[in-house]
Amino acid sequence: MASIKYTYLFNQGNRGMKNLLGGKGAALAYMANKGLPVPPGFTITTQACNEYYENDCTIWPELQKQIDANLMIIEEQTGKQFGGMENPLLVSVRSGAPISMPGMMDTVLNLGLNDETVEVMAKLTNNRRFALDSYRRFIQIFSDVVLEISRDKFEHCLESVKKEFGIVHDNELTDQALENVIAGYKVIVKEHIGVDFYQDVRVQLDMAIKAVFESWQNNRAIIYRNLHNISHTIGTAVNIQSMVFGNFSDTSGTGVLFTRNPITGDNEIFGEYLINAQGEDVVAGIRTPLPLNKLKEEMPDVYQELYDIVKKMEISYKDVQDVEFTIENGRLYFLQTRSAKRTAMAALKIAIDMYDEGIIDKITALTRVDPEQVEQLLHPSFDSDILKDLHPISKGLPASPGAANGQIYLDAKTVAQKAGEGIETILIRHETTPDDIEGMIHCKAVVTSTGGMTSHAAVVARGMGRTCIVGCQNIELNYANRSVKIGEKIYQEGDWISVDGATGSIYEGKLETESNVVPDQFKTLMEWANEYALMEVRANVDNAEDAQKALDFGAVGIGLCRTEHMFFGENRIFDMQRMILANDKETRVDALEKLYPYQKDDFKAIYQVMKEYPANIRLLDPPLHEFLPKTDEDVKKLSSKINVSEKTIIERSIALEEVNPMLGHRGCRLAVTYPEIYNMQVRAIINAAVEVNNELHINLVPHIKIPLIVSLNELIKIRTELENTIEAELEKLNAKIDYEIGIMVETPRACLRADDLAPHCDFFSFGTNDLTQMTYGFSRDDFSKFSNDYMSKKILAVDPFAELDEEGVGKLIKMATDAARKANPKMKIGICGEHGGNPNSILACYKYGLDYVSCSPYRISLAKLVVAQATAFKLLSINN
Amino acid sequence: MASIKYTYLFNQGNRGMKNLLGGKGAALAYMANKGLPVPPGFTITTQACNEYYENDCTIWPELQKQIDANLMIIEEQTGKQFGGMENPLLVSVRSGAPISMPGMMDTVLNLGLNDETVEVMAKLTNNRRFALDSYRRFIQIFSDVVLEISRDKFEHCLESVKKEFGIVHDNELTDQALENVIAGYKVIVKEHIGVDFYQDVRVQLDMAIKAVFESWQNNRAIIYRNLHNISHTIGTAVNIQSMVFGNFSDTSGTGVLFTRNPITGDNEIFGEYLINAQGEDVVAGIRTPLPLNKLKEEMPDVYQELYDIVKKMEISYKDVQDVEFTIENGRLYFLQTRSAKRTAMAALKIAIDMYDEGIIDKITALTRVDPEQVEQLLHPSFDSDILKDLHPISKGLPASPGAANGQIYLDAKTVAQKAGEGIETILIRHETTPDDIEGMIHCKAVVTSTGGMTSHAAVVARGMGRTCIVGCQNIELNYANRSVKIGEKIYQEGDWISVDGATGSIYEGKLETESNVVPDQFKTLMEWANEYALMEVRANVDNAEDAQKALDFGAVGIGLCRTEHMFFGENRIFDMQRMILANDKETRVDALEKLYPYQKDDFKAIYQVMKEYPANIRLLDPPLHEFLPKTDEDVKKLSSKINVSEKTIIERSIALEEVNPMLGHRGCRLAVTYPEIYNMQVRAIINAAVEVNNELHINLVPHIKIPLIVSLNELIKIRTELENTIEAELEKLNAKIDYEIGIMVETPRACLRADDLAPHCDFFSFGTNDLTQMTYGFSRDDFSKFSNDYMSKKILAVDPFAELDEEGVGKLIKMATDAARKANPKMKIGICGEHGGNPNSILACYKYGLDYVSCSPYRISLAKLVVAQATAFKLLSINN
């Protein structure tokens, strides 16, 4: 053990040693090595943290020895002595894990003060107030983070002293008041730990180090790591650094700066600072910090030094830096540097600018825009300054981004009618059904009180780029009174609300939206993405208009074209309903024949747009009862239209009802019972394809997708039936055409039998919505009933309908993909569930080796960027 | 290739060569080797069949050569010549696969006849009628099975000749009539194949052999093999055997016998025969066969020879034989022998008798009773003779065996009331809910119009041994008129029907049931089963009474004790409903406290019966809305009882409704939202256990089971909560007790994460009902809507809710079990789904290495027998 190095002086490390020294330690090492003014200090390694746990949570002699040795060096470098009576060394103790992580111990400042050293400091600095203030801060922080004594007690003590002295702000505390505070704090400590506050500075230091180590295993940290799949054995480093004092004098101060503007991306230093203050004062917000320009005026030399250094740091790190600095008596020190957080707009501008400036290459630039942020660029939003002061009246799941205001209406028909009158509307429903499409098209935003991230409302709204929030649990609809109760307040139809699809928040009244203008840099970025995107990105679209949108956004095919929405048009729904209500095959076939021309025209329109791009058309999927009328009025209407008694319609509807429709008579199960439905659909597809091929002189290949397959027998039965129908049709047409038949892989069983199924499929398309439902046993329509509990109790980190569950659903996809590749190496495999538009899920698909992801047209840019980044990260890791 | 032996003379094979010679070929080889009078012949191997397919369906020279060589030997042995003009050799050609399989070509008799040999035969036998009759039979069969010409044409021709000659029965055909028939047949053949009927006997033989080979790959055979997981590469053998003629004279005949009575099991020869007939006449049922006793009178020598030989065959085969024989001119020949099919009673008696007689050992005896037949022994049944002539008015799924008659009633309350008046009732419902328990207890049988093999009605009825049929699709209930429409007929309450739970058939009126008396031999068999059953058999029971029943049937624990049924008692349901309707935790806890004593008493009663046997108690599982009142009347009653407005009750019920309750807010998800429910339950369990331990001075260990777990975080959260509650309770009681906490593994995700979950579980219990639902995406409540289509179209061989789907669900169980054993080798793993009572499923569990299966008390004997047989078969295969 003696040979292991557990401690690194800052100048002994380097910035590549993040795993051993933590993020903060590596940054300090980098700065120290560059010769920047960093207060001397050292880092205890993450390895030491892990061995601490193996040593029953004691600091063993070897580690003790190394700490002591390093302390001595710091003492030499600073000319101060830890606990010494001439020039006492004070230090800060900070945690610093390789991955930034909430829940861990933060910072202890001013460690090394005790009843004696505080007096030395007072004399030495000729500033008793400063010394006492530092001491009372130290006792308070140490008690909080090391001794775990509730902060309230100290605040209470401080307040009572302030009242006693008639003081309002902390910085007005007199020496006497501070002495009283210190005395009060000590009483609190003794009450809690039974002994006097620790005067031995070496004990103080050991306790702080142990506290940092132990915070690695506290509950908050463990739960966080479980949720984010972070290994528990990484450990945290500890940074011990000699103090410099921004609160020393009026030529002292502390501040934070960004090397470029993190909001606009402009190439200008941006930051703020406080004179005569320690870091925590900036955070506490007691005084308003000054803009950095002010420093240029006040201390031009310091500013220039700061400017020169941080610009060099930016170039060295090849990224915008977020830098913490302190000025002690006019002398500049750096305490921390890291990559700066930035807005979408800034991220984009900075990436392109830095490429133009020759600081980074194209691959690196590609990785600098968070794909999730792309949404912000493409959709309108509310002014964040206005939102800051507003309290949302409801909060749901952010199902589809964008910001919108409008007058609320409770049904699709009214929305369509009001929209016709030029009124801007928000459609609020308990949940939406295909019946509501008309309203969803005409409204500005959709809000539902139930449903999850893949509910009907969410899926359809995302598909049309409509702002949408689902599962707002505090919304109760009263259709009779045409009103909505949100929280405790009642809103009538026509009242204004504002809907923020990015956050899931709903606000009262009409908030102005800001339409983001897509900057030219975005086009540049997407062109670069195209160069590096190695996995195809297709779109989920159901009609020609959306197909065109998808191509405009850069899609190279349709991953999923649902055919059920096509049956809801005014003229079609009655024939659809007549087909469903048919008692015999003859009536059913007759009704299907009426639907045939509509279907053919729909497919033709799509093919005319997509041309030779692949377009996977999924045959009818939902249970038939979804198409039947829901209200008495609609039953009456249908009855007169198709000449079937209301009683029969109601009886048949009841007979078709299901306890668990998700697991019921739907998908290809419909084709087993009523083969004539799919037969009509494939005839429409084949005729449409043949006609478009002739019209445009192209060679498009129809891709036909069978939903909900669970077994080989089922597949063979249905595929044979389809092939026979197609061959007969082609013979009748005297035409030749290639076609592909594939399946939705969306039941766990299909994944488990992939090796059987693959040889009989031209392609696989994972339906991750249904697969998630069945793997978890979570109904997406009912999930919102308990998802809040699962999130708030940290059982689930993310909604598995929003982000692919790699541990469960992903495992099935991986298994199935590997088996299918082996059984049928030439088949295409992709996903077309809602996850196709989610960054982490797309990365998972890339990892599983899929050929494509498919998502709503509005997510295509995001998806392309993710796919390109996957390649970019791989290339970067090879180059490094 | 020249060295491979593709043909075996009967005396070259032996009975162990079933794979190569097929079942029939091996039996013929056995008999020939024993020196029994078997007409000479040879078998073409299954290997030849497979190579035939590799040779593009041609008979290649080597095979041809071997066939010719064998034919020559047969000619020598019989002194006849194939196609010869002196003494023509006629042969039969039969298929014979290693596994008996419908769909394959059957038998061609009299092959070798043509226009010339038929005349030689006529002269030689001095029986022109016999020769002509044989020829016309040959043309007809050959045309049917080899040339695939529809049988109708020949029947039509035969009928018109009979009409012309004024003949009623086939055996009255005169020579002239037969000549006309033959001429007519030849015309039909020529019309179909374009050439004259084949006169070259060698061509006849080749065509027959090819037809047998090719029938291996016909659609019916392929579908059958797919359905039953039989390899397609086994192939079929072909048996070519010289003909003997039961239709030669009045000292000729043909018959079938069993070496013991296959109905009663009595040790007596049992069979029947026809004088002057060929085998097909017996099947055709034109003449009534004579009992074998008659043969003893008519041909005592032949009878004695027959008797002596078949009794020896029985001893040699160590099993009852089903033997086909032919007598030609007073000379006995054997054509086939195989194990005899038998009734349950016979199987039992024969197994025990043969052991007593020293013919078989105990292990073999154990394997001789089909576990499914055990049901027949334990339940009453209808007289099969009576059923034969009756047509059922409805057919559903045979959910729970037994036979019952009674008067129909449509709701549980009426059934309970009528039962109180001494009336025997059948409860008919659309589907049952826990509300109907009272009625299910008091009726003779339960019938539902919807639902599958694991619907509520099916599960509960099986649990109580009540006869039950579910999913009768032609039943429509009219609660308003108190009537039921079955098919086209309307039945009123009070009308009699009879219900056969073994077959799923319902009959009109009151059929007498036969109560089977369980014979002593059954006890003997079950004692033997106990000796060899290496996997535990536990019971699924919910109360003390059933627990006692389970112990009586030989269960060694409770695999699943559901706690939800306990909440439906008159006094409890209101508190349960109050708990569910509670708006705050306080009211909920208060209602739970009222329920606590009931729960504790329930558990005490069970523990008092089970003592130290393990009893897995599953915490509350169903969604809460299942407990809420369904009718206006019940809402009213509840409202007055718990002082909550009807409006509130209805509103809350609606709020709790779910789109897919199976995938909704249920199982341990309830515990995440309302931890107080499980807390109450574990307190009741622990207190009950401690009290019973003290009362009985035992050391029972409570087994607590958490349902529907999907992730480690969920498990840890809930387990920690339960442990804290238990520890607090034990401290309060100042008691010590061991306890185990395990989980239901019933979601695909739990299977996929078994390695994570296992270290935190004391046991795993696979819930195969839910697992089947989620793996297939089949809702058990809705499955009946399309299951008929899946069965009739041969997509599914069996209902996956009745028999475990080994290819899908079983794969998950296997994966999970292997992973769990690795992660936590000491844990117990079992299944408690309905599959625990299904023979093939139990065998699968044995194969996966589970520790126990759990089933309803009435299936325990069956399960034990299956488990014992698994061991027995293994031991037998080691010994062989």
Side-chain angles (χ1 to χ4, degrees), chain A residues 53 97 103 133 149 158 175 182 207 222 302 327 368 379 407 436 454 540 605 616 637 644 664 666 710 723 737 780 852:
Chain A
Y53 283 101
D133 189 51
I149 304 172
L158 181 62
D175 291 3
I182 291 167
M207 290 185 74
I222 290 173
V302 171
I327 304 161
R368 288 289 167 78
H379 293 281
Q407 293 172 257
D436 296 315
T454 59
N540 300 341
N616 292 349
K637 214 156 122 193
V644 170
R666 51 170 286 240
V710 296
E723 283 175 343
I737 195 168
R780 65 180 185 188
Y852 68 87

Side-chain angles (χ1 to χ4, degrees), chain A residues 20 27 72 100 117 186 266 365 485 506 566 632 673 725 802 814:
Chain A
L20 194 63
M72 275 179 62
S100 144
T117 53
K186 285 184 180 167
D266 288 342
K485 191 170 163 198
I506 299 175
M566 300 177 179
D632 291 351
T673 311
T725 304
K814 177 82 169 61

Side-chain angles (χ1 to χ4, degrees), chain A residues 9 40-42 67-82 87-89 91 242:
Chain A
L9 289 167
F42 63 99
I67 292 171
D68 289 340
N70 277 282
L71 262 183
M72 275 179 62
I73 297 171
I74 305 303
E75 287 177 334
E76 268 171 44
Q77 289 177 338
T78 57
K80 301 178 180 179
Q81 306 83 37
F82 192 48
N87 192 357
L89 172 68
V91 298
S242 52

